[in-house]
């Protein structure tokens, strides 16, 4: 039987990135978002910097576009909602939160070599307002 909670290769269960999603959402709740906050699960393209190809994160299944409440995004493990929530909350805040919960120094949590696109203003995006469009300084919708 498939153990969906087991982090590891797809044939063994959930991908390691999905194992980190609870910390992203917990940091969002601590930041004032709630389970009914709405985010887009649609395609996005992130700049990785000059000379690097754009990064196009994907959902596990192609039919996961559209808007989701955080509650539904957790239930369906929608990757692109987690990416957008992480951008709203901030990578450092999510790392600090995970470090506190796991009780290990945040320096031991791996940093991505991929630059993070940041919102051009704190209120911009589709978080608490429920708007469906997200615009980031280095983020373009595809």
């Amino acid at each position: 039987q498939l153990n969906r909670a087991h982090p590891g290769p797809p044939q063994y269960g959930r991908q390691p990135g999905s194992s980190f999603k609870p910390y992203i959402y917990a940091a969002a709740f601590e930041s004032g978002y709630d389970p009914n906050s709405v985010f887009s699960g649609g395609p996005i393209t992130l700049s990785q910097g000059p000379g690097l190809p754009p990064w196009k994160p994907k959902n596990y299944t192609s039919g996961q576009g559209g808007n989701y409440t955080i509650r539904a995004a957790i239930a369906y493990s929608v990757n692109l909602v987690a990416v957008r929530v992480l951008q709203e909350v901030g990578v450092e805040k999510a790392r600090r939160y995970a470090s506190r919960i796991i009780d290990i120094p945040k320096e031991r949590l791996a940093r991505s070599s991929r630059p993070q696109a940041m919102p051009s203003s704190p209120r911009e995006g589709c978080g608490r307002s429920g708007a469906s469009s997200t615009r980031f300084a280095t983020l373009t919708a595809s």
Side-chain angles (χ1 to χ4, degrees):
Q1 180 167 329
L2 178 66
N3 180 356
R4 291 182 47 104
H6 181 276
Q11 67 268 29
Y12 299 124
R14 191 169 302 281
Q15 290 288 316
S18 289
S19 299
F20 197 77
K21 287 178 190 173
Y23 304 111
I24 294 170
Y25 291 121
F29 296 147
E30 188 176 77
S31 297
Y33 293 92
D34 65 62
N36 294 315
S37 297
V38 177
F39 288 85
S40 171
I44 58 175
T45 300
L46 299 169
S47 170
Q48 296 189 84
L52 295 172
W55 178 50
K56 297 179 180 182
K58 305 276 187 227
N59 286 321
Y60 183 72
T61 61
S62 61
Q64 289 182 318
N67 294 329
Y68 289 84
T69 62
I70 289 179
R71 180 188 324 270
I74 291 170
Y76 296 109
S77 193
V78 183
N79 295 334
L80 296 177
V81 169
V83 169
R84 286 186 170 95
V85 170
L86 180 61
Q87 289 179 311
E88 289 282 325
V89 171
V91 173
E92 282 305 310
K93 184 168 191 170
R95 287 179 70 223
R96 283 193 311 269
Y97 195 89
S99 168
R100 195 169 70 228
I101 297 296
I102 303 171
D103 194 29
I104 62 171
K106 73 174 182 134
E107 293 76 25
R108 291 194 50 209
L109 292 176
R111 283 181 176 239
S112 171
S113 60
R114 183 175 286 132
Q116 301 296 320
M118 298 306 294
S120 56
S121 75
R123 298 290 299 167
E124 190 170 87
C126 59
R128 291 170 229 180
S129 68
S132 62
S133 65
T134 303
R135 291 176 291 139
F136 292 93
T138 58
L139 172 71
T140 58
S142 58

